[in-house]
């Protein structure tokens, strides 16, 4: 059975220790699901296979402890003698994802902390603006549901259009959250790449996100530990329009 949801199916967050062979991964569990995410809705950080469930479980949790981008683990039984683990994520849909129920797969996601949105009301610049209503500042105004055109930030059609958000200082960035448009133009968020930049340094968060993006989707872009800078650049990798409802940036 498959369904596409706009909210997580979650348990109330509780503090749980996930353990195997006395090796535990302490954290708050936000989501526990029997099944798996669609391949089109996330890019794993790591994919491993082993004929021992226990060894595989231990390897994946060990990896997660070493990488701050790791917010979840998906383990599936591929056959009687083969198991697969995928750690989440380079990028992941947090709203609008597709989930397939399967008794042979389990997905566990940790509680994700959101504190101060560093992008709120900061200077935003588009490579071009579609018109005076679709201004760049709409991407950082704190409005996450855009049911009117004058709430959306959108470029004109061009080759590799971009959005720049200038932060007020240099930060170590942990995640960038993209809120897609709430209309049929949500696809303007397809084919994008997110950079954290300083004067001499540029780091990619989440790799290339190709989509498909649907109405009201929310996408997390997880940043590696070296992502430190004072600006966020979001660029389309193809020709077209670049458009969002809102962008948030967190340490």
């Amino acid at each position: 059975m498959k369904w596409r949801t706009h909210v997580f199916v979650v348990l109330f967050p509780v503090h749980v220790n996930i353990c195997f062979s006395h090796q535990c991964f302490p954290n708050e569990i936000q989501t526990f699901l029997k099944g798996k995410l669609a391949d089109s809705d996330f890019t794993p950080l790591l994919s491993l296979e082993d004929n021992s469930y226990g060894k595989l479980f231990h390897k994946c949790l060990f990896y997660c402890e070493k990488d701050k981008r790791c917010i979840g683990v998906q383990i599936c039984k591929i056959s009687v003698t083969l198991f697969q683990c995928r750690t989440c994520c380079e990028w992941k849909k947090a709203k609008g994802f597709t989930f397939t129920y399967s008794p042979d797969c389990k997905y566990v996601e940790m509680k994700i902390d959101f504190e101060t949105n560093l992008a709120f009301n900061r200077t935003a610049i588009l490579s071009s603006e579609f018109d005076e209503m679709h201004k760049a500042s709409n991407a950082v105004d704190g409005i996450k549901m855009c049911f009117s055109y004058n709430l959306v930030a959108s470029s004109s059609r061009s080759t590799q259009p971009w959005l720049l958000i200038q932060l007020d200082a240099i930060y170590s960035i942990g995640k960038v959250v993209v809120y897609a448009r709430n209309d049929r133009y949500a696809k303007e968020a397809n084919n994008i790449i997110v950079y954290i930049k300083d004067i001499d340094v540029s780091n990619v968060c989440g790799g290339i996100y190709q989509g498909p993006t649907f109405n009201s989707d929310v996408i997390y872009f997880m940043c590696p530990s070296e992502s430190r800078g004072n600006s966020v650049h979001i660029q389309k990798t193809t020709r077209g329009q670049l458009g969002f409802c809102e962008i948030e940036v967190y340490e």
Side-chain angles (χ1 to χ4, degrees):
M1 177 173 61
K2 294 185 180 181
W3 66 87
R4 186 172 183 273
T5 180
H6 285 286
V7 293
F8 266 121
V9 181
V10 302
L11 299 177
F12 291 104
V14 294
H15 191 77
V16 177
N17 286 348
I18 305 174
C19 300
F20 179 82
S21 298
H22 307 294
Q23 300 294 323
C24 298
F25 185 57
N27 216 320
E28 268 193 356
I29 303 301
Q30 177 168 284
T31 307
F32 178 84
L33 301 171
K34 281 192 173 182
K36 60 182 180 178
L37 300 172
D39 289 344
S40 60
D41 290 344
F42 79 115
T43 295
L45 295 165
L46 179 72
S47 184
L48 296 173
E49 293 184 352
D50 202 298
N51 57 11
S52 167
Y53 179 89
K55 289 180 180 178
L56 188 64
F57 190 79
H58 174 74
K59 288 177 183 177
C60 279
L61 295 188
F62 178 79
Y63 180 87
C64 265
E65 288 181 314
K66 305 299 181 183
D67 192 330
K68 71 171 187 175
R69 296 172 296 172
C70 186
I71 59 171
V73 175
Q74 178 174 282
I75 300 182
C76 293
K77 181 180 179 181
I78 306 301
S79 68
V80 176
T81 58
L82 185 65
F83 300 89
Q84 181 191 64
C85 172
R86 306 176 86 184
T87 58
C88 179
C89 308
E90 295 267 2
W91 63 265
K92 174 186 178 293
K93 286 191 178 182
K95 185 178 180 183
F97 66 90
T98 301
F99 183 78
T100 304
Y101 171 79
S102 170
D104 293 326
C105 293
K106 295 181 179 66
Y107 177 71
V108 176
E109 187 169 288
M110 310 310 157
K111 183 177 182 294
I112 306 171
D113 292 325
F114 293 93
E115 296 181 358
T116 302
N117 173 18
L118 303 174
F120 178 60
N121 275 346
R122 297 302 170 194
T123 300
I125 303 170
L126 275 166
S127 54
S128 63
E129 292 181 349
F130 182 72
D131 59 27
E132 61 183 11
M133 289 192 302
H134 294 76
K135 54 191 179 181
S137 59
N138 288 339
V140 293
D141 61 3
I143 299 173
K144 295 183 268 190
M145 297 296 288
C146 300
F147 295 111
S148 174
Y149 289 140
N150 62 2
L151 298 176
V152 171
S154 182
S155 74
S156 58
R157 182 175 177 81
S158 59
T159 300
Q160 297 184 330
W162 49 264
L163 171 71
L164 163 67
I165 300 171
Q166 187 67 52
L167 307 179
D168 66 334
I170 295 175
Y171 296 94
S172 294
I173 305 301
K175 49 192 168 287
V176 176
V177 183
V178 170
Y179 292 81
R181 296 180 57 150
N182 305 110
D183 57 23
R184 62 193 178 100
Y185 299 108
K187 63 183 180 180
E188 290 181 4
N190 288 349
N191 300 307
I192 59 173
I193 188 166
V194 177
Y195 298 95
I196 307 301
K197 292 189 177 185
D198 199 354
I199 296 174
D200 301 316
V201 181
S202 177
N203 289 289
V204 175
C205 291
I208 296 175
Y209 167 75
Q210 295 181 321
T213 309
F214 299 100
N215 181 333
S216 304
D217 278 356
V218 178
I219 307 106
Y220 293 163
F221 291 81
M222 309 304 294
C223 304
S225 56
E226 63 271 18
S227 299
R228 184 173 172 81
N230 60 4
S231 64
V232 177
H233 294 235
I234 304 177
Q235 185 165 10
K236 204 170 191 71
T237 60
T238 59
R239 181 173 175 80
Q241 285 181 258
L242 179 70
F244 312 103
C245 177
E246 188 73 9
I247 305 295
E248 295 178 339
V249 180
Y250 296 94
E251 289 187 284

